[in-house]
Amino acid sequence: MALPPKVTITYCAECGYEDQTLALARALMLEFREAISGIELIPWEGGTFEVSVGGVLVHSMARDGGFADHGRIKTAVRETLER
Amino acid sequence: MTVSRERFAQGMTYDEFKAQMTRNRETVEANERAAEIADEDRKVFSRRLSALVLAEDWCGDVLANLPVLGRLAKETGNIDVRVFLRDQNLDLIEQYLNHGKFQSIPVFVFFDGADGGWRELGHWIERPESVTAKRREERLKVFASDSRFGSPDAPVDQLPADVRSELQARLVKTRADTAAWANREVLRELRELVSR
């Protein structure tokens, strides 16, 4: 069985992306509870909003545009858990 | 379909937008103070224009570029700025999508309402291409300057916290160092847009 993945949200603190960051963290906490090993929040700069699941970048505002779709992140977590 | 004069008039003034901001107002005001308006800007914006803006107070490009327009409007006294929140005005953002698909902000749309008419002169989205290119170039230089920073394409969460902190400080400094130049690039593009 694979180790529970850690989710990392790197967000632009200069821009004030705290609300979107916390909303995503909350959604993941409620959905996966103890099935994930942790959620790390990294304040960053330059308009960044990136989400990694188990070390794999699954959303990047620069690459994909906008904030992460919660459903997409949940799917990525589920896929990591089922590996 | 262009935006009507009546729809335009429903927007907030620049000061009203600032008053309703839930975050980053001090950043906007600092950037407004830092923006320098040159004689060539005053000359081009010596006629009455209207500028529709789509914005949100959490967007870095809005925080950087809307204050430049705000300062230009204040210094010239010739631009009627009306701001709409993007997420509450989807009918407007849908008309000005970046590359036809992204809801990038800020959007500035200039109108000439002289002689009782109402003519759209053009629109501007997000930031100048030259600024994007320069920032990319500067970012690559920072990463290349220290092997501990790793690849510029790798998520920064893979870096040790102390290295990450150092990288962040370097990136913030790079952007601060190019801010005045970036403001001039914004003004250059706005001058070109309304001069077409």
Side-chain angles (χ1 to χ4, degrees):
Chain A
M1 186 180 157
L3 286 171
K6 185 175 91 172
V7 178
T8 306
I9 308 173
T10 307
Y11 65 96
C12 179
E14 284 181 328
C15 314
Y17 289 174
E18 288 84 2
D19 290 351
Q20 292 86 351
T21 303
L22 292 172
L24 176 58
R26 184 174 192 276
L28 296 173
M29 289 164 77
L30 293 175
E31 180 84 9
F32 296 105
R33 303 169 68 92
E34 72 279 13
I36 48 178
S37 66
I39 299 175
E40 184 180 18
L41 309 181
I42 300 178
W44 201 242
E45 51 78 56
T48 302
F49 194 88
E50 293 183 342
V51 184
S52 295
V53 178
V56 177
L57 184 67
V58 295
H59 177 85
S60 160
M61 183 180 273
R63 183 187 69 188
D64 309 315
F67 292 101
D69 174 70
H70 289 192
R72 193 166 151 229
I73 303 302
K74 287 178 185 176
T75 300
V77 174
R78 265 187 222 103
E79 286 173 356
T80 309
L81 287 169
E82 288 164 6
R83 265 184 219 144
Chain B
M1 191 182 84
T2 192
V3 178
S4 69
R5 187 195 289 270
E6 292 71 27
R7 182 76 176 99
F8 172 83
Q10 292 169 359
M12 294 175 274
T13 64
Y14 177 55
D15 286 338
E16 286 169 346
F17 171 75
K18 286 194 290 185
Q20 62 79 58
M21 290 179 79
T22 59
R23 70 198 95 179
N24 295 322
R25 181 171 175 169
E26 64 289 351
T27 302
V28 162
E29 291 182 335
N31 289 345
E32 188 182 320
R33 284 192 298 275
E36 293 179 1
I37 307 302
D39 286 345
E40 57 186 339
D41 304 317
R42 289 189 192 87
K43 188 175 170 190
V44 170
F45 288 92
S46 61
R47 59 179 170 137
R48 287 291 299 167
L49 293 171
S50 301
L52 181 151
V53 174
L54 288 158
E56 290 288 346
D57 62 11
W58 45 257
C59 172
D61 287 302
V62 168
L63 305 180
N65 299 329
L66 176 54
V68 178
L69 176 65
R71 180 73 182 263
L72 178 67
K74 281 191 177 163
E75 289 225 5
T76 62
N78 283 325
I79 310 170
D80 182 8
V81 176
R82 296 302 174 104
V83 186
F84 294 80
L85 300 181
R86 182 195 68 177
D87 296 345
Q88 295 174 23
N89 293 278
L90 298 180
D91 63 312
L92 297 177
I93 191 66
E94 287 297 323
Q95 295 185 53
Y96 300 103
L97 294 174
N98 196 5
H99 300 297
K101 55 182 174 180
F102 299 118
Q103 295 185 343
S104 308
I105 47 177
V107 174
F108 302 160
V109 190
F110 285 89
F111 297 90
D112 183 350
D115 303 323
W118 184 250
R119 185 169 66 94
E120 183 176 321
L121 297 175
H123 66 275
W124 183 94
I125 300 177
E126 196 173 30
R127 77 180 84 87
E129 281 291 330
S130 58
V131 172
T132 302
K134 176 85 168 170
R135 295 261 157 86
R136 188 184 303 123
E137 184 188 321
E138 295 296 324
R139 186 169 182 274
L140 291 174
K141 278 187 202 167
V142 169
F143 275 88
S145 70
D146 191 327
S147 60
R148 293 175 306 150
F149 295 157
S151 163
D153 300 321
V156 294
D157 61 48
Q158 306 299 310
L159 297 174
D162 58 333
V163 176
R164 207 162 61 207
S165 255
E166 205 176 315
L167 173 60
Q168 183 175 38
R170 295 277 303 278
L171 292 172
V172 167
K173 182 178 184 309
T174 294
R175 215 171 50 258
D177 289 347
T178 54
W181 170 82
N183 286 349
R184 289 195 295 277
E185 284 295 282
V186 171
L187 289 162
R188 178 184 61 75
E189 290 202 344
L190 297 184
R191 287 195 310 271
E192 288 173 5
L193 191 152
V194 303
S195 301
R196 283 177 198 155

